[in-house]
Amino acid sequence: MKPVMTHLLVSVLALLLSPAAAQTSKRTVVKAGHLLDVKSGKTLSAQAIVIEGGKIVSVGPAGDLKPSATDQIIDLSRATVLPGLIDAHTHLTGDPKDVGYEGLAISVPRATLTGAKNARITLEAGFTTVRNVGAEGFSDVALRDAINSGDVPGPRMLVSGPPLGITGGHCDNNLLPSEYHSVGDGVADGIAGVQHRVRDNIKYGADLIKVCATGGVLSLGDNPQASQYSLEEMKAIVADAHRLGRKVAAHAHGAQGILWASAAGVDSIEHGSYIDDAGIAEMKKNGTYLVPTLYLGDWFLENAGTLNVPPFMMAKAREVLPTARKNIAHAFASGVKVGFGTDAAVYPHGLNAHEFAVMVKLGLTPLQSIQAATVNDADLLGWAGRVGALETGAWADIIAVDGDPLEDVTTLEKVKFVMKGGAVVKNEYGK
């Protein structure tokens, strides 16, 4: 062996055997005073979660654990421990102040930097995984990649890139006059057009496809109750996305758009404000998730006066948001599959957990609302077994709170411990 190669081999071996390398190989043990098994709904006492390589290797009674002298012990014996929460409807690169004409001044680079701020805030609030459903210029792709590379802190992200929408509809840019010829990034019309847009989004890094099946609230010139894409266009979108291994999330307020989107095979309906019995039946038949975004109605209507929201948006908000509560409550009672999503960006990031209390107010039990943000969302994202439960083989994404969230779900608004992939992000118990 040449001297240079021998020296290199010795150097590598020295690095691997160094104290720093040994430190990284240590296992971590989280001692939980109470642990909520989100699948069974049971709260277990005095549990130990053993973590190695960023994943959970065992969960069981703390008394059965044989500790090692090199174990890193995290004492959460005064807390209730849960899996990291999942938000299936975020817009991390946006903020409430960007609503309406204010948003025209936000460049894609600026939005991406805003996303870095919001990613940290969201992670510290206990949401260790998010599905980002709509961002201009693939800014969410850049943010996801920066988080995965360790450049900025943030949750695990599945991202859609620019949402698909029809010309002149929700997800187009309708705020500038015609001489600007401004078109939203994801605008596509006709079967060939939407097929190209799906493939283009995937080409540039989209993990899923977001489609605007109906009009929306925070947009000009469209009706939230009106369908946008035809059933045939929706089927083409879903067929290409699913064939290429991507799920589809459909923004849909209106009843017809909800029905068509589910019939076309989308994986989730976002918002669902005017959902009716026909849509509920179709969604139950197809196993389509409903991802309602509820708390935003409270926050937005209370704070819109400070945001310079255009009058046409306010008129739609005052009509749609209260109506959605009644219809969503009916959908809950009818047994649709429910995911957890917030539309954070319409209200400040970090308040995501306020959604739980509204879901409970509309008929879910605290456990059902927590399951929506854990096991249900994990299934919706296609990440069951990786996130959403404290079980062997899952990523070590863990949060802790005071009290019992099954008795008072608002305790999840005050997360005091956050771990992502075995790394502690926040620990107020260690002070």
Side-chain angles (χ1 to χ4, degrees), residues 221-281:
D222 59 299
N223 181 351
Q225 295 195 56
S227 300
Q228 295 195 157
Y229 281 118
S230 68
L231 178 58
E232 290 72 22
E233 289 170 316
M234 292 288 299
K235 286 181 176 179
I237 291 168
V238 173
D240 262 32
H242 284 179
R243 188 178 66 255
L244 296 172
R246 269 61 170 189
K247 295 195 174 190
V248 181
H251 159 105
H253 288 287
Q256 184 68 72
I258 293 169
L259 182 67
W260 279 355
S262 182
V266 304
D267 299 280
S268 63
I269 298 294
E270 314 296 307
H271 312 304
S273 301
Y274 290 93
I275 191 169
D276 61 10
D277 286 334
I280 290 169

Side-chain angles (χ1 to χ4, degrees), residues 36-42 82-83 367 370-371 374-375 388-390:
L36 177 58
D37 180 341
V38 293
K39 289 186 174 180
S40 69
K42 296 179 180 178
L82 303 87
L367 176 61
I370 294 168
Q371 288 173 328
T374 52
V375 288
L390 299 178

Side-chain angles (χ1 to χ4, degrees), residues 23-307:
Q23 180 74 19
T24 62
S25 66
K26 283 184 180 181
R27 69 176 187 173
T28 299
V29 177
V30 175
K31 292 187 174 181
H34 301 282
L35 184 150
L36 177 58
D37 180 341
V38 293
K39 289 186 174 180
S40 69
K42 296 179 180 178
T43 300
L44 308 173
S45 297
Q47 297 291 297
I49 306 167
V50 180
I51 300 159
E52 292 181 5
K55 291 186 176 181
I56 296 172
V57 296
S58 69
V59 181
D64 295 346
L65 179 69
K66 295 180 180 179
S68 165
T70 59
D71 286 348
Q72 177 188 7
I73 306 297
I74 298 176
D75 184 8
L76 300 179
S77 57
R78 295 179 290 118
T80 300
V81 173
L82 303 87
L85 302 172
I86 306 169
D87 190 335
H89 192 121
T90 64
H91 300 278
L92 291 184
T93 59
D95 271 339
K97 62 180 177 55
D98 302 339
V99 169
Y101 291 99
E102 297 290 330
L104 294 175
I106 307 298
S107 68
V108 171
R110 183 67 181 91
T112 309
L113 292 172
T114 295
K117 174 199 71 173
N118 292 332
R120 174 184 52 79
I121 291 170
T122 301
L123 178 60
E124 291 177 356
F127 288 82
T128 53
T129 301
V130 303
R131 189 180 63 159
N132 206 75
V133 284
E136 293 183 359
F138 297 95
S139 53
D140 55 355
V141 172
L143 179 60
R144 176 202 64 198
D145 292 349
I147 292 170
N148 289 346
S149 296
D151 298 334
V152 296
R156 306 180 192 279
M157 293 183 69
L158 289 172
V159 304
S160 73
L164 276 66
I166 66 168
T167 298
H170 191 68
C171 297
D172 195 0
N173 183 354
N174 297 345
L175 295 177
L176 291 170
S178 59
E179 56 264 34
Y180 286 90
H181 301 287
S182 181
V183 178
D185 285 354
V187 169
D189 300 301
I191 291 175
V194 298
Q195 287 176 324
H196 173 75
R197 181 55 59 193
V198 167
R199 297 167 189 178
D200 200 56
N201 276 16
I202 292 171
K203 173 182 178 180
Y204 292 112
D207 299 304
L208 68 139
I209 300 298
K210 164 75 175 295
V211 55
C212 292
T214 74
V217 175
L218 301 181
S219 49
L220 173 65
D222 59 299
N223 181 351
Q225 295 195 56
S227 300
Q228 295 195 157
Y229 281 118
S230 68
L231 178 58
E232 290 72 22
E233 289 170 316
M234 292 288 299
K235 286 181 176 179
I237 291 168
V238 173
D240 262 32
H242 284 179
R243 188 178 66 255
L244 296 172
R246 269 61 170 189
K247 295 195 174 190
V248 181
H251 159 105
H253 288 287
Q256 184 68 72
I258 293 169
L259 182 67
W260 279 355
S262 182
V266 304
D267 299 280
S268 63
I269 298 294
E270 314 296 307
H271 312 304
S273 301
Y274 290 93
I275 191 169
D276 61 10
D277 286 334
I280 290 169
E282 187 71 21
M283 290 176 65
K284 291 177 70 174
K285 181 183 76 173
N286 299 325
T288 313
Y289 274 95
L290 173 64
V291 181
T293 53
L294 299 163
Y295 174 69
L296 70 86
D298 295 337
W299 190 93
F300 185 78
L301 292 176
E302 289 172 6
N303 293 275
T306 65
L307 299 175

Side-chain angles (χ1 to χ4, degrees), residues 396-412:
D397 298 348
I398 299 170
I399 65 168
V401 296
D402 291 337
D404 182 357
L406 297 183
E407 293 293 329
D408 180 5
V409 78
T410 66
T411 59
L412 296 174

